[in-house]
Amino acid sequence: MDSTVGAPQGVIPPHLLKGQKALVTGANSGIGKATAIGLGKAGADVVVNYVADRDSAEEVVREIASYGVRAAAYEADVSQEDQVVAMVDRMVKEFGTIDIMVANAGLQRDAPFTEMTLAQWQKVLDVNLTGQFLCAREATKEFMRRGVVPEVSCAAGKIICMSSVHQIIPWAGHVNYASSKGGVQMMMETLAQELAPHRIRVNAVAPGAIKTPINRDAWDTPQAREDLLKLIPYNRIGEPDDIAHAVVGLCSDLMDYVVGATLYVDGGMTLFPGFATGG
Ligand code: NAD
């Protein structure tokens, strides 16, 4: 099958999330950017969080606003408690509330195990795991204060944790990253159990290999691309829109009974592709 056929376009129903307020962290690049735009296409008002490069965040805001919804760029480092608290407070003041938190911001600091510094370990855990904890906690306070508004959604709030196939696939040379995503899985499931009685739905999306700046080395030469495709039964590298579509769907009331699930969006990467021809 032709591996150049990409993610489907024009598939987001424009009123699916009408009237909802969403915040996406790390939304000026890659998956976060596509997700923020996807939520806007679905009718949500969107806060675009960024930690660096205000211009690219403003560009995302302009694109979202072109769909007739409200958008704004808020600067905050998700690993800093005071900044996350201030960001969610500001959103509640300026947008009235929050219905959807997409804890997407993440990074890699790769090194062979014996060369990995404590600073590399700590940075990845601080952003990828503690950052999601802080964002989920602050959103949850507002979800609980407000409760369910039936005209808006069946749920009092939705949290999407951006995980990775590396929450279950070990990854040599990336022990900090794989550990952070393993932590995200258990954090998400524990929060889902704790918050479900409050009608708050917590779920995760676990991307496979998606073309973004975080993993450019894995797809930007023909050899790298060919090697990567061997790991993907669906025979195409994922695009940020593939993840955006999954997040929009999971946040919508179509998925109201989905609680504590990880949706793997990976073209089959977690299906042990090495066993496709025997084993
Ligand atoms: P990306 O580098 O394009 O985007 C990451 C975003 O997070 C950037 O906007 C960056 O500025 C932001 N960020 C980093 N540290 C931050 C902080 N302290 N505070 C706020 N924002 C911060 O990479 P991406 O591929 O779009 O990654 C997005 C998420 O998807 C990450 O959690 C990543 O682990 C996950 N993911 C990506 C892939 C992939 O193949 N691209 C696969 C699995 C999981």
Side-chain angles (χ1 to χ4, degrees), residues 26-32 49-51 76-79 104-107 127 162-164 177 181 207-210 212-215:
N28 59 340
S29 175
I31 289 171
N49 159 257
Y50 69 100
V51 72
D77 178 337
V78 296
S79 67
N104 164 79
L107 42 72
V127 174
M162 197 55 68
S163 190
S164 163
Y177 184 85
K181 296 302 186 181
I210 311 298
T212 74
I214 211 174
N215 60 359

Side-chain angles (χ1 to χ4, degrees), residues 202-223:
V202 187
N203 290 288
V205 171
I210 311 298
K211 266 184 239 171
T212 74
I214 211 174
N215 60 359
R216 185 174 297 280
D217 292 351
W219 51 262
D220 79 344
T221 65
Q223 186 59 51

Side-chain angles (χ1 to χ4, degrees), residues 108-151:
Q108 291 179 213
R109 294 287 184 270
D110 310 329
F113 181 46
T114 54
E115 289 164 30
M116 186 173 287
T117 63
L118 180 59
Q120 287 173 316
W121 168 266
Q122 199 63 55
K123 178 76 180 171
V124 171
L125 270 290
D126 283 351
V127 174
N128 294 13
L129 184 57
T130 306
Q132 294 207 12
F133 158 75
L134 292 170
C135 290
R137 191 189 67 189
E138 292 313 301
T140 298
K141 289 178 187 168
E142 171 61 9
F143 298 160
M144 285 181 168
R145 185 201 64 76
R146 194 202 56 238
V148 177
V149 180
E151 308 80 67

Side-chain angles (χ1 to χ4, degrees), residues 16-232:
L16 197 61
L17 301 174
K18 197 171 160 32
Q20 302 203 39
K21 323 281 179 197
L23 188 155
V24 183
T25 65
N28 59 340
S29 175
I31 289 171
K33 174 179 173 178
T35 298
I37 293 168
L39 291 164
K41 284 183 184 168
D45 297 326
V46 185
V47 168
V48 172
N49 159 257
Y50 69 100
V51 72
D53 188 7
R54 180 164 186 93
D55 288 351
S56 59
E58 290 294 355
E59 216 172 277
V60 178
V61 164
R62 279 193 293 280
E63 180 163 356
I64 295 169
S66 75
Y67 296 103
V69 295
R70 197 172 155 203
Y74 289 3
E75 181 178 351
D77 178 337
V78 296
S79 67
Q80 301 300 313
E81 184 173 28
D82 55 340
Q83 296 184 33
V84 174
V85 170
M87 175 171 70
V88 176
D89 278 357
R90 181 178 168 195
M91 178 166 180
V92 172
K93 279 195 194 85
E94 295 181 357
F95 283 70
T97 192
I98 175 170
D99 302 285
I100 294 166
M101 167 63 81
V102 184
N104 164 79
L107 42 72
Q108 291 179 213
R109 294 287 184 270
D110 310 329
F113 181 46
T114 54
E115 289 164 30
M116 186 173 287
T117 63
L118 180 59
Q120 287 173 316
W121 168 266
Q122 199 63 55
K123 178 76 180 171
V124 171
L125 270 290
D126 283 351
V127 174
N128 294 13
L129 184 57
T130 306
Q132 294 207 12
F133 158 75
L134 292 170
C135 290
R137 191 189 67 189
E138 292 313 301
T140 298
K141 289 178 187 168
E142 171 61 9
F143 298 160
M144 285 181 168
R145 185 201 64 76
R146 194 202 56 238
V148 177
V149 180
E151 308 80 67
V152 175
S153 174
C154 303
K158 281 86 60 170
I159 295 169
I160 303 293
C161 297
M162 197 55 68
S163 190
S164 163
V165 290
H166 294 296
Q167 71 172 27
I168 54 162
I169 301 179
W171 202 16
H174 307 76
V175 67
N176 48 2
Y177 184 85
S179 302
S180 74
K181 296 302 186 181
V184 164
Q185 178 179 12
M186 190 45 75
M187 180 185 73
M188 181 280 287
E189 290 174 7
T190 300
L191 294 183
Q193 186 195 59
E194 184 167 338
L195 301 179
H198 300 274
R199 284 291 164 96
I200 295 167
R201 295 197 295 116
V202 187
N203 290 288
V205 171
I210 311 298
K211 266 184 239 171
T212 74
I214 211 174
N215 60 359
R216 185 174 297 280
D217 292 351
W219 51 262
D220 79 344
T221 65
Q223 186 59 51
R225 206 171 151 277
E226 197 182 307
D227 290 347
L228 185 56
L229 283 172
K230 289 188 192 126
L231 300 174
I232 308 172

